């Protein structure tokens, strides 16, 4: 990547005007610098001088680049965390090291993220840190994504209209599309983009059936001997109830199709199971998604989230994570889309990770290829480690990054995400290794009162700026927010914020995240008070022993 000598640009996170040092003059922003671009010796000297009077703070991760190693001095002058994108010009700095080993650098490209939730905010935050990316668009995005400067939100782009997405990509020179939401994947957006030669990270509509139909996933498991819970499928409520009575409780009832993470009921009594069947097959609360119901055996054990990047042939495991599905403390109440998560998950030992790859991920990739629908994208396996034997079984597949697991994974990722995803799109993951910070991460979801049932929207959320700087390593991801006429952040959804933090250990990450949560002024919201309790208990047990 090359720039003119004597050029420097600081792109600002918080919507403040960017700093440009050229022959014409200087403009100073005051906070939130996301990315530093420099070219030429004069620019380095100019940038170094900002330590005394520039007023920049809240900066993200330092990378020293070639002969511009001295730029790191800014960190010691109170500029915590530069993300320096190496340029070549007068006083060449050379290329920055690979963001992921085995991945080659390429020309910087604009990237488009499809979606507007917490997962997509985390994706934008990770993508904009990449030296391979010169601009991130997010459609439709949300108020927090735009305000943070993690992406340019394109609210007017109809992501259900493939032709509109294609036109935008061509007009904006988009070199990579990352589809965060499951619905556009199932609808075939990636297929449509591929037809016109636009690279997209995500599975085809046929491959997205792994999430779009739980019955399809179960039949694949049967055919390729992938360990999972035994089950039966039903379209008739009476037949389903008859089978439930034969099996007894506890038992699991699942809607076959997409139900926004809420189409699964773990019934502890027969009455709960019957009610779940009626809600899906009789009253049609989930629409067509509940027209077919799976009744599964209840598996006793600890659930973990396992992610792998897949290029159609090869699978690359990501760091482990564990989420909290139940709405209440102590894992009580109904299932949700996720009330918090942390990474890594101590329950997923290297031995179990290898077992998951060998018995679940690799057979799935091979099976999908054999079925004529190669899988390309992130494969998110909900896995349970059975208490009775310590072995993993597949609970379900998602065909996109999990939410809120994506948030804790991507703030730990050290590799160049754009380069890695491009490698996947081109079938080049063989030999790629991902690099992670050893610091654990934890995220707490703040939701509207009433969630996962009926909730009120339009409530004001205050003090977010203070919360995000309450401790080093805190990041607030927006999932369901917008801006009102008074330019205030207001809630628009059930799960609204993801307050994340990294720490030297999981206890410190947990402490930082809750410290930030308690700074947020939102009486109409709630959160669980015990996110990360399993990992913290393990850590305390290790210390005591």
């Amino acid at each position: 990547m090359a720039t003119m000598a004597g050029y420097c640009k600081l792109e600002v996170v918080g919507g403040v005007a960017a700093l440009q040092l050229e022959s014409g003059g200087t403009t100073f922003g005051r906070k939130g610098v996301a990315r530093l671009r420099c070219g030429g010796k004069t620019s380095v000297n100019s940038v170094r001088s900002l330590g005394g009077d520039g007023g920049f703070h809240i900066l993200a991760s330092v990378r020293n680049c070639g002969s511009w190693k001295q730029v790191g001095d800014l960190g010691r002058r109170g500029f915590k965390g530069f993300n320096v994108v190496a340029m070549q010009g007068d006083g060449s700095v050379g290329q920055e090291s690979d963001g992921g080993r085995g991945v080659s650098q390429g020309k910087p490209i604009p990237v488009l993220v499809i979606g507007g939730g917490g997962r997509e905010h985390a994706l934008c935050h990770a993508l904009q840190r990449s030296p391979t990316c010169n601009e991130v668009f997010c459609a439709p995005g949300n108020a927090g994504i735009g305000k943070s400067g993690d992406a340019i939100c394109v609210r007017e782009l109809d992501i259900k209209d493939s032709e509109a997405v294609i036109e935008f990509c061509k007009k904006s020179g988009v070199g990579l599309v990352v589809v965060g939401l499951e619905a556009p994947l199932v609808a075939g957006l990636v297929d449509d983009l591929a037809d016109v030669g636009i690279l997209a990270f995500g599975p085809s509509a046929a491959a997205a059936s792994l999430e779009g139909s739980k019955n399809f996933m179960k039949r694949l498991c049967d055919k390729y001997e992938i360990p999972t819970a035994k089950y039966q499928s039903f379209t008739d409520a009476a037949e389903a109830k008859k089978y439930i009575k034969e099996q007894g409780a506890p038992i699991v009832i699942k809607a076959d199709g997409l139900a926004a993470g809420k189409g699964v009921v773990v019934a502890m009594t027969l009455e709960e199971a019957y009610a779940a069947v009626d809600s899906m097959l009789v009253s049609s609360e989930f629409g067509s998604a509940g027209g077919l119901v799976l009744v599964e055996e209840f598996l006793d054990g600890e659930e973990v989230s396992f992610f792998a990047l897949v290029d159609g042939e090869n699978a690359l495991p990501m760091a482990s994570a564990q989420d909290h599905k139940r709405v209440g403390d102590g894992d009580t109440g109904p299932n949700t889309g996720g009330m918090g998560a942390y990474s890594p998950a101590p329950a997923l030992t290297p031995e179990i990770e290898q077992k998951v790859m060998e018995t679940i991920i690799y057979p799935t990739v091979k099976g999908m290829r054999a079925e004529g629908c190669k899988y390309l994208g992130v494969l998110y396996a909900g896995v349970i480690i059975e208490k009775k034997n310590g072995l993993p079984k597949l609970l379900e597949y998602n065909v996109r990054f999990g939410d809120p697991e994506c948030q804790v994974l991507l703030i730990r990722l050290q590799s160049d995400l754009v380069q890695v995803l491009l490698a996947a799109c081109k079938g080049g993951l063989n030999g790629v290794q991902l690099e992670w910070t050893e610091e654990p991460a934890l995220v707490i979801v703040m939701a509207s009162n009433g969630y996962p049932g009926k909730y009120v929207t339009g409530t004001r959320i205050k003090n977010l700026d203070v919360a995000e700087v309450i401790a080093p390593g805190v990041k607030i991801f927006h999932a369901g927010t917008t801006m009102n006429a008074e330019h205030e952040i207001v809630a628009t959804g059930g799960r609204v914020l993801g307050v994340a933090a990294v720490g030297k250990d999981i206890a410190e990450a947990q402490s930082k995240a809750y410290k930030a949560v308690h700074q947020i002024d939102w009486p109409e919201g709630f959160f669980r008070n015990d996110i990360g309790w399993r990992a913290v208990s393990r850590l305390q047990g290790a210390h005591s022993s």
Side-chain angles (χ1 to χ4, degrees):
M1 182 176 178
T3 62
M4 294 173 61
Y7 172 86
C8 180
K9 179 179 178 182
L10 284 152
E11 295 179 351
V12 178
V13 165
V16 187
L19 165 73
Q20 294 191 358
L21 296 178
E22 296 176 295
S23 56
T26 304
T27 301
F28 290 92
R30 288 181 296 174
K31 63 180 182 178
V33 176
R35 184 177 293 122
L36 168 65
R37 292 192 174 102
C38 294
K41 297 175 182 178
T42 304
S43 295
V44 174
N45 293 332
S46 300
V47 171
R48 286 168 62 86
S49 71
L50 294 179
D53 58 10
F56 285 88
H57 58 284
I58 320 176
L59 306 176
S61 72
V62 174
R63 291 180 185 168
N64 296 332
C65 299
S67 64
W68 289 18
K69 189 174 181 180
Q70 63 267 45
V71 173
D73 289 345
L74 291 176
R76 291 187 286 278
R77 295 186 180 190
F79 286 74
K80 295 181 180 178
F82 267 87
N83 180 14
V84 181
V85 183
M87 307 292 173
Q88 289 187 341
D90 182 25
S92 172
V93 302
Q95 291 291 329
E96 189 175 52
S97 61
D98 286 351
R101 281 178 289 175
V103 177
S104 59
Q105 293 289 331
K107 181 181 179 181
I109 57 171
V111 178
L112 171 64
V113 175
I114 300 293
R119 167 183 51 233
E120 288 75 38
H121 192 174
L123 282 164
C124 291
H125 181 63
L127 291 165
Q128 63 87 20
R129 300 197 308 265
S130 165
T132 315
C133 175
N134 57 18
E135 200 148 39
V136 180
F137 299 102
C138 188
N142 64 46
I145 295 174
K147 187 178 180 182
S148 68
D150 288 323
I152 298 169
C153 293
V154 193
R155 295 177 179 85
E156 68 278 8
L157 180 57
D158 183 2
I159 60 175
K160 296 179 182 178
D161 183 348
S162 291
E163 289 302 317
V165 174
I166 290 168
E167 182 181 353
F168 176 84
C169 290
K170 290 180 176 179
K171 181 179 178 181
S172 304
V174 170
L176 174 66
V177 178
V178 181
V179 185
L181 293 172
E182 58 269 32
L185 293 170
V186 174
L189 177 58
V190 170
D191 305 70
D192 295 336
L193 291 167
D195 287 343
V196 295
I198 297 173
L199 287 179
F201 180 76
S204 65
S209 295
L210 276 175
E211 179 174 1
S213 170
K214 295 180 181 66
N215 194 53
F216 172 87
M217 184 272 286
K218 284 289 192 176
R219 289 189 285 108
L220 188 84
C221 290
D222 289 343
K223 185 171 182 178
Y224 294 97
E225 300 180 340
I226 298 166
T228 188
K230 69 176 183 178
Y231 75 104
Q232 289 290 331
S233 302
F234 300 93
T235 56
D236 181 80
E239 289 297 317
K241 291 177 183 178
K242 179 181 177 182
Y243 178 76
I244 289 168
K245 186 175 181 180
E246 292 171 356
Q247 299 302 311
I251 199 162
V252 182
I253 316 299
K254 295 182 176 181
D256 175 59
L258 298 177
K262 289 172 277 201
V264 177
V265 175
V266 180
M268 304 311 291
T269 66
L270 292 178
E271 289 72 24
E272 286 181 41
Y274 297 155
V277 168
D278 285 340
S279 71
M280 297 176 192
L281 291 179
V282 179
S283 57
S284 301
E285 291 183 13
F286 297 103
S288 60
L292 177 68
V293 164
L294 280 70
V295 180
E296 285 188 0
E297 70 170 317
F298 173 81
L299 298 176
D300 188 17
E302 190 167 348
E303 294 185 34
V304 295
S305 303
F306 192 95
F307 297 85
L309 303 178
V310 182
D311 66 5
E313 303 281 343
N314 307 290
L316 178 65
M318 300 187 74
S320 62
Q322 192 160 17
D323 73 340
H324 297 259
K325 289 293 187 191
R326 299 297 187 101
V327 72
D329 290 355
D331 294 326
T332 58
N335 269 356
T336 69
M339 293 301 295
Y342 54 91
S343 173
L348 197 63
T349 64
E351 294 76 20
I352 294 177
E353 178 180 311
Q354 185 63 30
K355 182 70 70 174
V356 171
M357 290 296 292
E358 291 175 353
T359 65
I360 297 175
I361 302 298
Y362 289 143
T364 299
V365 174
K366 181 180 178 181
M368 292 293 285
R369 187 169 65 245
E371 295 297 313
C373 47
K374 278 187 176 184
Y375 191 90
L376 189 158
V378 64
L379 197 53
Y380 163 19
V383 172
I384 189 165
I385 303 167
E386 283 201 274
K387 186 180 292 184
K388 67 181 181 181
N389 56 22
L391 295 177
K393 279 188 175 179
L394 177 65
L395 294 175
E396 64 178 4
Y397 268 130
N398 292 304
V399 297
R400 33 67 185 182
F401 284 100
D403 185 344
E405 296 96 332
C406 184
Q407 288 85 313
V408 290
L409 287 175
L410 295 187
I411 59 175
R412 293 188 62 224
L413 182 67
Q414 299 291 292
S415 300
D416 181 334
L417 182 59
V418 176
Q419 284 287 353
V420 173
L421 299 187
L422 286 172
C425 292
K426 298 173 182 177
L429 285 181
N430 189 30
V432 174
Q433 296 181 41
L434 299 177
E435 297 181 357
W436 307 89
T437 176
E438 294 186 3
E439 292 186 318
L442 181 142
V443 64
I444 301 159
V445 169
M446 299 187 72
S448 298
N449 287 337
Y451 175 81
K454 294 183 70 174
Y455 53 83
V456 177
T457 61
T459 55
R460 292 180 295 179
I461 307 170
K462 301 178 181 178
N463 225 33
L464 290 169
D465 289 344
V466 173
E468 197 158 26
V469 297
I470 195 68
V474 171
K475 173 67 179 177
I476 298 177
F477 296 105
H478 289 241
T481 63
T482 191
M483 198 90 72
N484 65 13
E486 288 74 38
H487 301 287
E488 298 170 310
I489 295 291
V490 297
T492 60
R495 294 188 300 161
V496 176
L497 299 171
V499 183
V502 294
K504 64 182 180 183
D505 55 35
I506 193 64
E508 183 178 82
Q510 182 193 57
S511 175
K512 287 181 178 181
Y514 275 108
K515 190 175 182 180
V517 163
H518 289 299
Q519 291 293 318
I520 296 172
D521 182 5
W522 184 32
E524 297 83 5
F526 77 98
F527 53 91
R528 278 184 56 163
N529 295 285
D530 62 349
I531 300 301
W533 68 267
R534 288 186 181 89
V536 172
S537 296
R538 280 188 170 94
L539 178 66
Q540 292 170 343
H543 285 169
S544 62
S545 61

